[in-house]
Amino acid sequence: MTLQKLSGFPAPKPALEQYATPATVAARLLHHAAGEDAVEGKRVLDLGCGTGMLACGASLIGAGEVVGVDVDRAALRTAQANAALVGAEVDLVCGEIGLAFPIRPQTFDTVVMNPPFGAQKKHADRPFIDCALASAGVVYGIFNAGSRPFIESYIAGRGRITGAVGGSFTLPRTFAFHRRDRLDIPVEILRIERC
């Protein structure tokens, strides 16, 4: 219920696939991670944190430290306001997920993320997966339902999927090219462990 109070993107950018993570999906991911002792007292990194939905949630359920990284300064300002609104302690960093990633590798216990699905830019999720595996031993990410075989192949030798939870991601009409008022996208929350 607390996460439902958070504001979404002030001016979403289609090229960045900026859709607010639904509070219900964020809560499901965080509940799953917390039940596996991956949040409380842990150092948690939110990759592509956007407006801070996952980062704020991780802080509220007891993460020892939470860092959110996003390339969009306007989204980070909203994330800061959201954190203040709900009393979450989150450090926010402006930086690109990929080669110029501003965080030292292997400095976190857990990564949470809702990476781009690749609808606007093919393979947009790959830098997120790569950074996640380099940053923490365990990753919880939201992916299109049916992505599991691709992800298993992509991370072979570097990580393995050790859990999955289904869900639905409701996208409201956000951009001019959207034809429906809302669209329910089946998603899966995957737990990935680094090898």
Side-chain angles (χ1 to χ4, degrees):
M1 289 171 50
T2 300
L3 294 179
Q4 290 176 335
K5 298 175 186 176
L6 302 185
S7 296
F9 290 95
K13 297 173 180 70
L16 297 177
E17 294 189 38
Q18 290 181 325
Y19 300 98
T21 304
T24 54
V25 176
R28 183 172 220 168
L29 180 150
L30 293 165
H31 176 75
H32 186 59
E36 295 177 335
D37 196 31
V39 178
E40 189 173 352
K42 306 291 188 194
R43 296 193 71 218
V44 177
L45 176 63
D46 182 356
L47 291 178
C49 67
T51 62
M53 181 70 70
L54 292 170
C56 288
S59 173
L60 293 174
I61 61 172
E65 178 184 358
V66 180
V67 175
V69 178
D70 202 280
V71 71
D72 184 354
R73 290 186 189 281
L76 289 172
R77 285 191 293 275
T78 300
Q80 190 65 52
N82 282 338
L85 175 71
V86 297
E89 292 185 30
V90 178
D91 294 321
L92 298 167
V93 176
C94 187
E96 190 167 339
I97 310 302
L99 296 177
F101 188 58
I103 304 292
R104 280 192 352 248
Q106 300 182 18
T107 55
F108 291 87
D109 300 303
T110 305
V111 167
V112 294
M113 64 180 182
N114 177 17
F117 290 174
Q120 299 300 314
K121 180 181 174 189
K122 193 172 182 180
H123 307 306
D125 56 344
R126 290 181 181 192
F128 286 80
I129 296 167
D130 295 339
C131 283
L133 288 171
S135 299
V138 66
V139 177
Y140 293 84
I142 302 167
F143 299 94
N144 266 327
S147 296
R148 185 175 182 153
F150 157 73
I151 293 170
E152 285 176 328
S153 172
Y154 184 70
I155 65 173
R158 300 182 295 149
R160 61 189 181 95
I161 295 173
T162 58
V165 177
S168 181
F169 197 119
T170 300
L171 297 180
R173 182 189 302 259
T174 306
F175 301 114
F177 58 84
H178 287 168
R179 296 185 179 162
R180 298 183 194 167
D181 288 335
R182 66 178 251 164
L183 180 63
D184 292 323
I185 306 286
V187 298
E188 50 195 357
I189 298 165
L190 299 179
R191 180 183 196 272
I192 302 169
E193 288 184 37
R194 184 175 60 213
C195 292

